[in-house]
Amino acid sequence: MKRASKARTAASPAPADPPQHEEHHRPALSPALQVLLALAATVVALAGLSFARDIVGPIALAVVIVIICHPIRHPLERHGWPRWAATSTVIGLAFVVLIGLALLLVFAGVQFARLVADYADDLEATGRNLVEWLGTFGLDKQVSDATAAILDPAEILGFVTSLGGTVISVLTALFFVFAYIIFMAADGSRYARAEQVFGRGIHPTMQRFRSFNGGVRRYYVVNASFGAVVAIIDGLALWAVGVPAPVVWAILAFVTNFIPNIGFIIGLIPPALLALVVGGWPLMLAVIAIYCVVNVVLQVLVQPKFVSDAVNLSLTLSFFSVIFWTFIIGPLGAILSIPLTLLVRALVLGVDPGTRWLRWLSGEDVDAAAGVSGP
């Protein structure tokens, strides 16, 4: 029996192998092609942002203001305030910040226009003298004309007028900014409960945005602190040497302090030119010396280190961000350059673990970030 069983077993055919389905693998893209596709997608996205700058700018401004004001919600809710009351407080504080900044800019613009009108004759005389002085060095007529145009009252008033038009368009967009602030502040309380709804699985994503929000707040706290110190010192120094409207230049120094690296130069040019008109070369050199001592030491040497530590951005990337975002969304991009760069890093580089070295290259302390688990 055993032999017959063995014989039948030996005679039975071996079980057929299961059918193999042919696998068709798409050829992987080469690294060079991947880079080209990524660059092409980036260019398209940036072109879209630039085309929609009138929409993107107000939204970005509203986001930054809400992020700055949002932490006031937490102590109010801990003291038993209902969510609607805490949200209303955030909205009210955001409106105060926005309206206060708008009033400062309007006041400075009006005073600047009055200065140009009051010193129109002096500006023309200074322009002619400067052209004659440049002529003694053999400079061609184009350079002389360009220099004279800088002090031409009509050109300056035209610039003020265009600036006024920009301010009017910004004020028109404030309605939308106010609406964005209301909606974002209301949504902020809802998003804070995301981990309770979806569990700890989304903790890494929430942590990235908490890190982004914290970086934005630290950045503006550092800039506002340094800007206030610089504005007070500049205003008092300009008042002491006799430059007209020192309050206007103090406001300008405060606002331009939010423009990394090159804000110092923007804030220096108007008071230096006015000092040249009012008191000649000695007063102009005195103003330049004041700004070099105060602004260069604080804004160029000391502040960038604090900003870099606050937001974990390299100094090179901070400087490039100003130029890049100004080109993409206009003048508002200069003030919002650091938050926009932080947002791009959080969205693009914070998702893929393989980009850890790129985050380190941008200035982020990746080892510290990996061990952080903020509330």
Side-chain angles (χ1 to χ4, degrees):
M1 293 290 294
K2 289 183 180 180
R3 290 180 179 177
S5 176
K6 288 181 181 180
R8 286 194 301 268
T9 303
S12 62
D17 293 331
Q20 299 291 330
H21 297 285
E22 295 184 358
E23 296 183 358
H24 299 282
H25 297 285
R26 293 184 178 179
L29 297 177
S30 65
L33 186 57
Q34 292 178 7
V35 171
L36 288 177
L37 290 176
L39 290 176
T42 302
V43 169
V44 172
L46 293 176
L49 287 176
S50 182
F51 179 76
R53 62 173 58 187
D54 293 336
I55 299 176
V56 174
I59 291 177
L61 179 61
V63 168
V64 167
I65 293 177
V66 171
I67 288 174
I68 293 172
C69 299
H70 183 77
I72 196 176
R73 167 192 303 278
H74 304 311
L76 297 179
E77 291 182 345
R78 283 197 298 267
H79 283 81
W81 285 43
R83 280 190 300 170
W84 67 265
T87 299
S88 300
T89 304
V90 173
I91 294 172
L93 180 59
F95 284 0
V96 169
V97 171
L98 187 60
I99 293 173
L101 290 176
L103 290 177
L104 279 178
L105 293 177
V106 170
F107 170 79
V110 171
Q111 294 298 318
F112 183 64
R114 289 179 179 175
L115 283 174
V116 173
D118 293 340
Y119 290 94
D121 296 336
D122 294 330
L123 285 168
E124 290 181 356
T126 302
R128 288 193 299 270
N129 294 334
L130 190 57
V131 169
E132 294 175 358
W133 179 71
L134 290 174
T136 60
F137 293 94
L139 295 178
D140 59 3
K141 187 176 182 300
Q142 291 181 346
V143 176
S144 300
D145 291 343
T147 306
I150 296 176
L151 296 176
D152 185 2
E155 293 289 338
I156 297 176
L157 284 175
F159 171 75
V160 174
T161 303
S162 64
L163 185 62
T166 303
V167 171
I168 291 175
S169 65
V170 170
L171 291 177
T172 304
L174 281 180
F175 170 79
F176 297 100
V177 176
F178 287 143
Y180 296 146
I181 288 175
I182 294 173
F183 301 145
M184 292 176 185
D187 288 337
S189 64
R190 179 171 176 264
Y191 296 152
R193 305 190 306 276
E195 287 190 50
Q196 300 175 8
V197 177
F198 295 99
R200 299 286 296 178
I202 65 167
H203 178 74
T205 300
M206 296 301 298
Q207 183 57 36
R208 285 201 306 273
F209 284 100
R210 290 192 188 104
S211 177
F212 164 71
N213 294 342
V216 170
R217 295 187 195 105
R218 289 191 299 270
Y219 169 73
Y220 281 105
V221 167
V222 170
N223 275 271
S225 302
F226 275 93
V229 172
V230 168
I232 293 172
I233 296 176
D234 285 345
L236 292 175
L238 294 176
W239 171 78
V241 299
V243 176
V247 176
V248 174
W249 314 128
I251 294 174
L252 182 63
F254 176 77
V255 174
T256 56
N257 190 70
F258 290 94
I259 304 175
N261 305 107
I262 62 175
F264 151 68
I265 300 174
I266 299 174
L268 167 63
I269 293 175
L273 291 177
L274 182 61
L276 175 64
V277 172
V278 173
W281 289 102
L283 186 58
M284 180 182 182
L285 294 177
V287 171
I288 294 175
I290 290 170
Y291 271 70
C292 287
V293 172
V294 177
N295 296 52
V296 170
V297 170
L298 290 177
Q299 288 182 288
V300 178
L301 299 180
V302 179
Q303 181 179 337
K305 181 64 172 70
F306 281 86
V307 171
S308 178
D309 293 341
V311 300
N312 290 325
L313 280 182
S314 65
L315 297 178
T316 303
L317 185 57
S318 299
F319 176 74
F320 175 74
S321 297
V322 179
I323 303 172
F324 178 79
W325 289 112
T326 302
F327 174 76
I328 295 298
I329 64 173
L332 191 60
I335 298 177
L336 301 176
S337 58
I338 299 300
L340 289 172
T341 302
L342 292 176
L343 178 61
V344 171
R345 186 173 69 180
L347 293 177
V348 177
L349 302 183
V351 180
D352 186 1
T355 60
R356 187 169 179 265
W357 70 275
L358 287 174
R359 300 202 309 273
W360 175 84
L361 192 63
S362 72
E364 182 180 353
D365 188 353
V366 292
D367 294 328
V372 171
S373 58

